Amino acid sequence: MTPATKDEIRDAFRRGIAVAIAAAPFAVLFGAVAVDNGLSIAEAALMSATLYAGASQLVGVELFNHNVAPWLVVLSIFAVNFRHVLYSAAIAAHIRHLTFWQKATSLFLLTDPQFAETERRADAGIRVSYVWSMVLGLSVYVPWLCLTIVGGFLGNLIGDPKAIGIDVLLPIYFMGLVLGFRSRANWLPVVIASAAGSILAMHFVGSPWHVSLGALAGVLVAALMPLDGKETETPVGKTAEGEA
């Protein structure tokens, strides 16, 4: 293993663990909610292992318990996860050098933080390698799966994350990711459009459509606004060790 590869692994693991810590309360919460809604611990773990989409998992497991038509469950999960279609299209140019199966495994692990970290790395002019992508993804995926099982065993002992204030961890992490892209052209209008679109969708359409509709509003504004040519080449934030 070359020193450059070791640096990639260290960087990806460091970034992945930060995400895993922020997402930990929600993984435990999902396990508890799933068991509380009638799933076994094995079924909850299987759902985390195969679906692997926090918000969609919570939406799905809640709907399972309300005798909702299967097509509505699928549609609701699709609504929450539609943004991943946009994510995969956006990072396609960064992973073009990967083989089909490398792309498939990398995209299976694609989450909001993984997308943001991939964009940030590409912005810095650093190659998005398969090793880096997989280490980052697995550093989040494995803890998510393990903590789902922990949540299933603890069940109702977890309670509501809001009660102990840990529900803010993930939003704070996402806000940090968004602020990290503030040097990009049209950043502020796109953020405002996404926020406004999400709020309006939440008010008039309801959850979970506000997630994808807010994202679409931001994409629409980004597509309509011309680049001003003042975008800086280096994003805000630290460059990974050994990245050059």
Side-chain angles (χ1 to χ4, degrees), residues 15-16 18-20 23 48-57 80-81 83-88 90-91 104-119 132-142 144 170 173-174 177 181:
R15 294 176 186 276
V19 177
S48 274
T50 54
L51 186 56
Y52 186 45
S56 299
Q57 291 179 222
V80 177
N81 279 341
R83 68 191 187 282
H84 288 270
V85 177
L86 307 176
Y87 288 167
S88 57
I91 67 171
T105 49
S106 296
L107 292 175
F108 172 74
L109 297 172
L110 184 63
T111 58
D112 302 88
Q114 177 117 357
F115 164 74
E117 294 292 356
T118 301
E119 280 289 301
W132 181 86
S133 181
M134 290 302 292
V135 172
L136 175 62
L138 291 173
S139 299
V140 183
Y141 178 80
V142 174
W144 177 269
L170 204 55
Y173 178 80
F174 283 136
L177 290 177
F181 290 106

Side-chain angles (χ1 to χ4, degrees), residues 18-66:
V19 177
I21 292 172
F26 299 93
V28 176
L29 175 65
F30 168 73
V33 170
V35 171
D36 189 52
N37 279 274
L39 271 65
S40 67
I41 294 176
E43 289 169 337
L46 180 63
M47 192 170 179
S48 274
T50 54
L51 186 56
Y52 186 45
S56 299
Q57 291 179 222
L58 286 169
V59 169
V61 80
E62 288 289 348
L63 293 177
F64 289 158
N65 201 34
H66 288 82

Side-chain angles (χ1 to χ4, degrees), residues 131-233:
V131 170
W132 181 86
S133 181
M134 290 302 292
V135 172
L136 175 62
L138 291 173
S139 299
V140 183
Y141 178 80
V142 174
W144 177 269
L145 183 57
C146 294
L147 290 170
T148 294
I149 297 172
V150 171
F153 279 111
L154 294 180
N156 291 331
L157 293 177
I158 300 301
D160 186 355
K162 293 181 181 177
I164 51 180
I166 58 176
D167 61 307
V168 300
L169 289 177
L170 204 55
I172 288 175
Y173 178 80
F174 283 136
M175 185 178 294
L177 290 177
V178 172
L179 290 172
F181 290 106
R182 64 184 181 275
S183 61
R184 284 191 169 188
N186 303 324
W187 175 83
L188 186 58
V190 170
V191 169
I192 292 175
S194 298
S198 183
I199 292 171
L200 291 173
M202 185 68 181
H203 181 74
F204 292 106
V205 183
S207 176
W209 291 96
H210 66 293
V211 178
S212 293
L213 292 178
L216 283 175
V219 170
L220 181 62
V221 169
L224 293 175
M225 296 190 68
L227 295 175
D228 58 11
K230 296 178 181 178
E231 186 175 357
T232 57
E233 295 182 354

Side-chain angles (χ1 to χ4, degrees), residues 88 91-110 130 133-134:
S88 57
I91 67 171
H94 310 323
I95 60 173
R96 188 175 298 157
H97 56 283
L98 302 183
T99 67
F100 172 80
W101 289 111
Q102 287 176 336
K103 289 178 184 175
T105 49
S106 296
L107 292 175
F108 172 74
L109 297 172
L110 184 63
Y130 182 61
S133 181
M134 290 302 292

